[in-house]
Amino acid sequence: MSEIIGDGGCLCGAVRYTVKGELLWSGHCHCETCRRQTSSPITTFFAIYEKDMMFHGEDDISIFVSSKGVERGFCSKCGTPMFYKTSARPGEINLYAVSLDLPDKFTPQVHYHWQEKLPWTHWQDSLPKYDGD
């Protein structure tokens, strides 16, 4: 995989992060849970090893346990979603691609939970489409 280097943060600036490490995967998630958590038709993530990133303003991160073994972190001041972690992939953290300072430099690689996509979204890319993770 390639390396991802960059900075990002929440809407209000209370939570910032720095990433420098191996990109494990990246893609669009169409699952209902991610849609509800972000109030958007898709969520685009990139995954790295948690050891390869550092949060600044950690005291401003709140955690919501959305299901068994799943934590979703968000800024406790402005509510911006910051990360997704699952016990199914220990040591990995999934960050929201549009929280990067330069999201236009990011390229998703795949669609996940394709069967859950909303019927009013239309995709014309050639990315692989998977029904699960």
Side-chain angles (χ1 to χ4, degrees):
M1 281 275 134
S2 62
E3 186 173 71
I4 187 161
I5 299 171
D7 297 304
C10 67
L11 179 63
C12 74
V15 177
R16 299 283 303 155
Y17 65 81
T18 301
V19 171
K20 183 177 182 179
E22 179 184 358
L23 176 66
L24 303 175
W25 59 265
S26 65
H28 303 299
C29 182
H30 297 269
C31 83
E32 180 183 2
T33 307
C34 285
R35 289 196 320 258
R36 286 191 180 277
Q37 199 257 333
T38 62
S39 293
S40 61
I42 65 160
T43 302
T44 305
F45 289 109
F46 66 93
I48 59 167
Y49 292 114
E50 198 166 359
K51 67 175 182 55
D52 291 339
M53 62 96 50
M54 183 171 67
F55 279 110
H56 314 281
E58 284 184 70
D59 293 344
D60 294 314
I61 296 175
S62 293
I63 305 293
F64 173 65
V65 178
S66 60
S67 57
K68 185 178 181 184
V70 173
E71 293 182 348
R72 294 173 183 270
F74 60 95
C75 174
S76 58
K77 291 185 177 175
C78 68
T80 300
M82 297 305 304
F83 67 82
Y84 170 96
K85 290 196 288 190
T86 175
S87 59
R89 296 187 300 269
E92 178 181 301
I93 189 167
N94 306 165
L95 299 167
Y96 295 84
V98 295
S99 71
L100 286 163
D101 290 346
L102 299 172
D104 54 326
K105 304 293 183 197
F106 174 83
T107 305
Q109 301 167 333
V110 67
H111 289 270
Y112 294 105
H113 299 284
W114 183 250
Q115 79 284 4
E116 294 184 50
K117 74 182 179 311
L118 293 170
W120 46 264
T121 60
H122 302 282
W123 298 91
Q124 297 180 356
D125 62 46
S126 60
L127 297 176
K129 295 162 179 72
Y130 299 109
D131 286 340
D133 289 335

